[in-house]
Amino acid sequence: MRAQPGWAEASRRLSPYLDPAIGIVAAALALASLLATDLDSIDSRLKDPNVVSAVATVAAAGALAWRRSRPAASFAVMVTGSLVVSLSGHYIGLLSVLMLFSLYSLAAHGRRRDGLIGLGVGVLCFVGLALLDVPDLGT
């Protein structure tokens, strides 16, 4: 069964707006996750959100806005923002899930080896954070 011509046309027209919309929604949800979570119920060592953690969260999640056009840059911003949040002792929240989405985008839309490099970077970051015993690593 063939797709409807109207659907194909709508998909083509909306495609340039999809990734920016994903970035905006991801940034809003990640920021809400950072600001609205009861930190003591997760880990008593977590610090209350501040400007640095909020900006890093929004920048990291918002980088999904260029997940297909610049997948390596998007992943690099995601990793950097997530590290800033984690290393400063704040709640990473939804960024951990969005990191997987960013890694998928890197593998699907980047060069062939980029996905493996991204996976290696993710594992190294996780091991490094575990060795530093940062709060909220279970997320």
Side-chain angles (χ1 to χ4, degrees), residues 71-83 99-100 102-103 106 113-130 137:
S74 175
F75 185 74
V77 171
M78 174 66 78
V79 169
T80 303
S82 298
L83 282 174
M99 178 81 72
L100 294 175
S102 182
L103 178 60
L106 177 65
R113 65 180 174 188
D114 288 348
L116 289 174
I117 292 171
L119 181 61
V121 167
V123 169
L124 286 175
C125 289
F126 184 78
V127 169
L129 292 172
L137 192 58

Side-chain angles (χ1 to χ4, degrees), residues 57-99:
T57 296
V58 169
L64 290 174
W66 3 289
R67 67 181 192 87
R68 286 188 289 179
S69 60
R70 298 183 178 270
S74 175
F75 185 74
V77 171
M78 174 66 78
V79 169
T80 303
S82 298
L83 282 174
V84 167
V85 172
S86 287
L87 290 173
S88 63
H90 293 91
Y91 179 56
I92 194 167
L94 194 57
L95 286 181
S96 58
V97 175
L98 295 175
M99 178 81 72

Side-chain angles (χ1 to χ4, degrees), residues 12-99:
R12 185 185 63 73
R13 284 187 182 184
L14 293 175
S15 182
Y17 306 105
L18 179 62
D19 287 346
I22 288 172
I24 290 168
V25 169
L29 291 174
L31 184 61
S33 170
L34 173 72
L35 298 176
T37 302
D38 177 23
L39 301 177
D40 288 331
S41 67
I42 297 170
D43 191 328
S44 61
R45 300 176 296 159
L46 287 170
K47 297 178 184 175
D48 288 328
N50 62 14
V51 173
V52 172
S53 64
V55 169
T57 296
V58 169
L64 290 174
W66 3 289
R67 67 181 192 87
R68 286 188 289 179
S69 60
R70 298 183 178 270
S74 175
F75 185 74
V77 171
M78 174 66 78
V79 169
T80 303
S82 298
L83 282 174
V84 167
V85 172
S86 287
L87 290 173
S88 63
H90 293 91
Y91 179 56
I92 194 167
L94 194 57
L95 286 181
S96 58
V97 175
L98 295 175
M99 178 81 72

